[in-house]
Amino acid sequence: MSLTTFDSAVVLVTGANGGLGTEFVRQALEAGAAKVYATARTPREWDDERVVPLQLDVTDAASIAAAAAAATDVTVVVNNAGVGAGSGIATGTDAELRAMFETNFFGAVGVARAFAPVLAANGGGALLNVHSVLSWIGVAGAYSAAKAALWSATNSLRLELAPQGTLVTGLHVGWVDTPMAAHSDDPKNDPAVVVRDSYAALLAGEYEVLADELSASVKQGLSAPITTLYPQLAS
């Protein structure tokens, strides 16, 4: 089943309490979704009866399983939950590295694995994984490594889930104007535009969303000499 409209869709958003997650919920409703499961470690109340708050800790396998058992009507999964910052690869502790991967890689993959059979049972639907431009450029240590691993997993999931009719799409974007990026003075993307472009990509059957010029330019740079992405190595 190809996703051609959000009318009557049942959407599940992880990390729904955050700035980007809230926008994924809002625009799904605006597009006509019949129901949106707004998941978080501590779900909040919403002012729309179509929103179902659902507890989900992506670092807890039992919590993921419980969410999949509760939300058996889902047709679109937005794998948005994640943590930022993080330590260096060489300088971080084992605990810091593992914590980053537990949320940004194993958590997202765990959600995808749990909901793949749900999507199949409901006709295929779509899975959107939120990556980062830092999936492709290793300037953020453990964060870059975890997001790069998720990008690779998304590519595998796309092939594995295609036979069941599930579209798997990856979103790459730089800073987004949300509380998670409040510490940065760099230019930030409007979360409303990022979500709009992401949902449009799902409806168009696209496999990848390059949500800003930075992501597009870095993607292009992957085929260039390594010093294009890392000019500090050119000296």
Side-chain angles (χ1 to χ4, degrees), residues 152-226:
S152 181
T154 296
N155 293 334
S156 296
L157 285 165
R158 184 176 299 122
L159 298 175
E160 293 177 20
L161 301 187
Q164 71 175 39
T166 299
L167 171 69
V168 179
T169 301
L171 164 62
H172 293 269
V173 65
W175 289 117
V176 180
D177 193 9
T178 66
M180 184 180 289
H183 65 282
S184 175
D185 294 326
D186 291 335
K188 300 182 180 73
N189 295 286
D190 183 345
V193 174
V194 173
V195 172
R196 181 200 67 194
D197 292 349
S198 298
Y199 280 161
L202 291 185
L203 296 179
E206 296 176 4
Y207 298 126
E208 193 167 73
V209 186
L210 305 180
D212 54 14
E213 291 184 7
L214 176 61
S215 298
S217 64
V218 170
K219 177 69 181 293
Q220 185 177 22
L222 293 177
S223 61
I226 195 168

Side-chain angles (χ1 to χ4, degrees), residues 32-141:
K35 182 191 296 184
V36 179
Y37 291 98
T39 79
R41 288 180 176 177
T42 305
R44 67 176 176 88
E45 293 300 318
W46 298 74
D47 59 0
D48 192 306
E49 63 182 11
R50 292 173 294 170
V51 180
V52 179
L54 184 64
Q55 198 280 332
L56 174 57
D57 179 351
V58 301
T59 67
D60 183 334
S63 179
I64 294 173
T72 58
D73 51 350
V74 165
T75 59
V76 178
V77 173
V78 179
N79 229 341
N80 167 72
V83 294
S87 61
I89 299 294
T91 58
T93 66
D94 286 352
E96 289 171 333
L97 295 175
R98 291 181 185 280
M100 180 63 66
F101 270 79
E102 282 297 330
T103 298
N104 289 351
F105 176 72
F106 288 110
V109 169
V111 169
R113 285 163 53 88
F115 279 93
V118 175
L119 293 173
N122 293 321
L127 168 68
L128 175 69
N129 283 342
V130 178
H131 304 150
S132 166
V133 66
L134 297 176
S135 310
W136 294 327
I137 183 166
V139 297

